[in-house]
Amino acid sequence: MSFPGSALRLTLIFVLVQSNTTVPIPTILDWSDDSSNAIGSEYIIMEHAVGVQLHQKWPTMSGEQQIACIEAISRNIQQIAAIKFPAYGSLYFADIPIDSACKGRLQVCAGFDLAAYCDGLIDTGLSRLPPVDKTLPESLYFNRSVVTHTRLLSFGRDVIHKLSEDTRIRETAAPTLHHADLHKRNIFVSDDDPTIITDFIDWQSSSIEPAFEYADETPDFAAPSPNLLFEDQPADIRAELCKEAFNACLQGLVPRLSAARALDDNLLRPFRYCHRTWRDSAVAFRQELIEISSRWKELGLPNSCPYPLPTSDELVAYRREFEDFIAARNLKQRLICLLDTTPDGWVPTQLWEATKSAHNEAFDELVQAVRDARVTDDQSMSEEELRAMWPFDIE
């Protein structure tokens, strides 16, 4: 029998949450993790989510309603984070292979300790790399050298193992379940009173992780408002208040997560990027290794960092690459806000044509701005560089 997949994991998460909390989630009506069933695929059938998406209600809510909604969300997070686990990993039956009889008793098996968790992060990063001899398209902003990724991940393994021995990391490493994609499209509220949470959906990426893994998770309802495509736009005061409200709620209701968020981010970023270097680029992970190595003593870490600092010439070149990476990331965030889309570019079908038109218009405007800038400064970004940086498909 094949190793259990997402249908089993998601079913167990739902049963666990429903058995230990009052967090509202849809009821699962039927499920199968056996791809040899009549459908020919794993499946889950659940009740329709109750209410309307918070994403639809948020723009018309008052500031008081938004803050009350954030408090209600945080109280649900509190219940989920309070569930205790002996180790890290995903939820499975303790006695697989699975038959229909054991589906009625949802026992779960333990995962890994912190040292094994660190190895798992690096091994995951390595498993996502293509073969060394495979021909890959060149990319201006993302280093696609498999050799570079492999070398950095080798250093990264030693670095995160050293970091995992630090008391600050261990004190914020409690195995914790958290919704891995907590944004407004996955939260449903009452149409009559949007401060009442009626359902949380989209749990399939959730697992039991160290609490510090969620330190950088800021949901879109609590994120600072991006300045879209223009740097001189004023900050959204309401967005800042929502951010402060969310942080205050976590501090009072979920101190485990709040403590992790209070740590110096340099201690945590190597864990954050190491398993996704192929997606996020080697540039980002290399910069995190440089930052932790340069601040090793300042952060109170013993001995020396396993990652040796590059030469001064290399640091200049690497800094330039990292600035390009940050520019590409910021551009994507502004486009997400401007187009009202998810990070992978998803929009509702009924909004597709309007969003595509807005996307093309934004691209054409920036192309023209780049061309105008090149007239007076031939060192500024070129149109080819903009196209390489652009996060979504261009027709």
Side-chain angles (χ1 to χ4, degrees):
M1 179 177 181
S2 61
F3 197 69
S6 58
L8 173 60
R9 295 198 307 273
L10 183 56
T11 299
L12 288 172
I13 286 174
F14 270 51
V15 171
L16 185 74
V17 171
Q18 288 174 329
S19 300
N20 292 274
T21 75
T22 60
V23 174
I25 56 177
T27 298
I28 292 180
L29 304 175
D30 191 23
W31 66 280
S32 173
D33 63 305
D34 186 355
S35 59
S36 66
N37 58 38
I39 294 177
S41 174
E42 294 186 22
Y43 68 83
I44 296 177
I45 301 173
M46 62 181 68
E47 290 181 340
H48 194 276
V50 177
V52 296
Q53 284 180 313
L54 179 59
H55 182 76
Q56 298 176 23
K57 302 291 290 186
W58 193 258
T60 61
M61 293 167 63
S62 68
E64 291 77 9
Q65 286 179 315
Q66 289 179 347
I67 291 176
C69 183
I70 288 172
E71 181 181 355
I73 293 169
S74 300
R75 291 193 180 279
N76 282 284
I77 295 174
Q78 177 188 33
Q79 292 188 63
I80 298 166
I83 303 174
K84 297 186 182 301
F85 297 95
Y88 315 111
S90 294
L91 301 178
Y92 293 107
F93 286 103
D95 50 352
I96 52 179
I98 303 163
D99 55 37
S100 58
C102 77
K103 289 181 179 178
R105 50 184 185 80
L106 298 175
Q107 301 176 13
V108 298
C109 59
F112 309 99
D113 60 20
L114 190 55
Y117 179 83
C118 291
D119 282 330
L121 290 177
I122 299 298
D123 292 342
T124 297
L126 291 170
S127 72
R128 291 171 174 169
L129 303 181
V132 176
D133 57 355
K134 183 178 180 180
T135 302
L136 301 168
E138 292 186 2
S139 174
L140 184 61
Y141 292 100
F142 300 95
N143 191 330
R144 292 298 185 182
S145 166
V146 176
V147 173
T148 297
H149 282 266
T150 303
R151 176 177 175 273
L152 289 173
L153 287 171
S154 177
F155 281 120
R157 189 187 299 273
D158 294 335
V159 168
I160 64 173
H161 269 293
K162 283 287 187 182
L163 291 174
S164 71
E165 297 171 0
D166 188 85
T167 302
R168 291 164 291 183
I169 296 295
R170 291 193 168 275
E171 288 178 347
T172 56
T176 304
L177 177 64
H178 188 61
H179 193 297
D181 198 11
L182 195 65
H183 58 68
K184 296 193 293 284
R185 284 188 171 90
N186 289 334
I187 302 170
F188 282 69
V189 296
S190 167
D191 196 13
D192 297 324
D193 182 356
T195 67
I196 298 175
I197 311 300
T198 56
D199 260 327
F200 291 91
I201 66 168
D202 202 7
W203 292 77
Q204 58 264 34
S205 299
S206 300
S207 58
I208 295 90
E209 308 279 350
F212 65 70
E213 277 293 332
Y214 306 115
D216 71 324
E217 296 291 337
T218 300
D220 56 359
F221 56 78
S225 180
N227 290 330
L228 302 182
L229 300 178
F230 305 98
E231 296 291 348
D232 58 350
Q233 288 190 351
D236 185 332
I237 301 301
R238 183 178 292 185
E240 291 299 320
L241 290 175
C242 288
K243 176 185 175 182
E244 292 177 8
F246 183 65
N247 288 335
C249 285
L250 286 188
Q251 185 174 3
L253 299 173
V254 199
R256 177 187 299 179
L257 296 183
S258 181
R261 293 164 71 89
L263 283 179
D264 190 305
D265 212 32
N266 279 127
L267 292 170
L268 301 178
R269 285 202 294 262
F271 295 94
R272 192 175 301 157
Y273 284 107
C274 64
H275 62 291
R276 60 193 203 200
T277 65
W278 193 247
R279 187 193 72 179
D280 290 348
S281 91
V283 171
F285 186 51
R286 181 177 61 206
Q287 187 62 30
E288 302 313 333
L289 293 179
I290 291 172
E291 293 288 342
I292 192 71
S293 182
S294 63
R295 296 191 60 206
W296 193 263
K297 293 297 184 183
E298 177 189 343
L299 291 168
L301 297 166
N303 302 319
S304 59
C305 179
Y307 178 73
L309 279 174
T311 66
S312 56
D313 289 342
E314 288 173 331
L315 285 173
V316 171
Y318 293 161
R319 167 55 63 176
R320 188 179 303 115
E321 290 181 7
F322 184 64
E323 289 172 353
D324 289 339
F325 168 80
I326 293 298
R329 188 184 65 179
N330 290 344
L331 173 63
K332 182 173 183 178
Q333 287 302 117
R334 291 171 185 154
L335 285 172
I336 288 171
C337 183
L338 175 68
L339 303 174
D340 197 17
T341 181
T342 61
D344 59 1
W346 181 90
V347 293
T349 304
Q350 65 270 22
L351 299 178
W352 169 248
E353 291 300 330
T355 303
K356 183 169 68 171
S357 176
H359 171 254
N360 292 338
E361 182 180 347
F363 177 73
D364 291 341
E365 289 180 0
L366 280 184
V367 166
Q368 188 58 51
V370 164
R371 289 171 179 169
D372 293 342
R374 294 282 286 189
V375 172
T376 57
D377 182 7
D378 59 8
Q379 297 300 311
S380 65
M381 181 186 297
S382 67
E383 182 176 341
E384 291 73 22
E385 290 172 329
L386 175 62
R387 288 180 178 274
M389 178 190 292
W390 201 261
F392 301 128
D393 293 339
I394 304 168
E395 293 185 352

